[in-house]
Amino acid sequence: DAVSPIVLQDPVHVRPEAGVPMPPRGEAMIGPKIPKPSPADEKRAYEAMTFRDQNRCTRCLAYGVQRDHRQNRQSGNTVVSNLQGLCPACHQWKTENPTAAILEGFAVPRWADWGFWPAWREDVRSWVLYFDAPDSQGRWWSEITESVADMLMRGTALEEGT
């Protein structure tokens, strides 16, 4: 499978799963508020994440997972792209090692947009960007290269052709 390049356009970024323009870092976007997920939406997000991850830990592939927010839970962020399945041992590791969890792709810093923060998936042994719903080919994520993941985590915008 070929890895599709992810191109971020400055000064406006686009969230790949929704096509929603995002302002450059440090600038506020004026416009309608995005409604926060209802309890039913959150329940569907948890169910979709469990289906996407096949009830396996994204870090060690153990069966039987706890539902985990990649970016710590806060109002409005219980969406599929911010959720992952972690076994109890890996969930505890993430909690006890927050810096390592960020660098290894299992946590998102509070200041970051989880839609642009790479995640590591052990089942595909690749960095990915998650979607909130499967794409037209049934994929829940887009695989990205390690160099793209590194650029995104450093906040470096990619330009066409890199």
Side-chain angles (χ1 to χ4, degrees):
D1 290 298
V3 175
S4 301
I6 301 293
V7 178
L8 303 180
Q9 303 167 346
D10 275 335
V12 176
H13 300 297
V14 177
R15 288 190 70 165
E17 72 275 14
V20 177
M22 303 298 291
R25 284 192 174 83
E27 294 183 22
M29 179 188 292
I30 298 174
K33 287 186 177 181
I34 297 172
K36 82 177 194 181
S38 70
D41 292 334
E42 290 183 352
K43 181 179 180 191
R44 282 190 292 274
Y46 287 128
E47 290 169 352
M49 178 278 306
T50 302
F51 174 79
R52 179 197 67 201
D53 294 347
Q54 300 175 6
N55 200 33
R56 294 186 79 180
C57 179
T58 57
R59 184 169 180 255
C60 75
L61 303 179
Y63 284 99
V65 298
Q66 297 175 340
R67 298 164 176 170
D68 176 60
H69 287 76
R70 295 182 334 116
Q71 184 179 71
N72 287 341
R73 184 182 210 167
Q74 60 185 359
S75 179
N77 78 352
T78 301
V79 295
V80 181
S81 59
N82 189 42
L83 296 171
Q84 64 189 346
L86 292 176
C87 70
C90 288
H91 199 181
Q92 182 175 351
W93 169 85
K94 178 190 170 206
T95 301
E96 293 173 353
N97 301 280
T99 301
I102 289 169
L103 295 174
E104 293 181 27
F106 298 101
V108 177
R110 176 68 65 199
W111 53 265
D113 177 349
W114 66 81
F116 285 121
W117 196 265
W120 178 260
R121 287 194 62 95
E122 188 61 30
D123 56 348
V124 293
R125 301 220 22 92
S126 180
W127 289 97
V128 302
L129 292 176
Y130 285 124
F131 307 140
D132 284 325
D135 67 12
S136 61
Q137 296 178 339
R139 296 177 301 206
W140 286 88
W141 61 77
S142 176
E143 290 185 38
I144 58 174
T145 64
E146 185 172 356
S147 61
V148 169
D150 184 59
M151 285 187 241
L152 290 170
M153 287 191 281
R154 288 198 226 193
T156 306
L158 302 177
E159 297 185 18
E160 190 106 30
T162 61

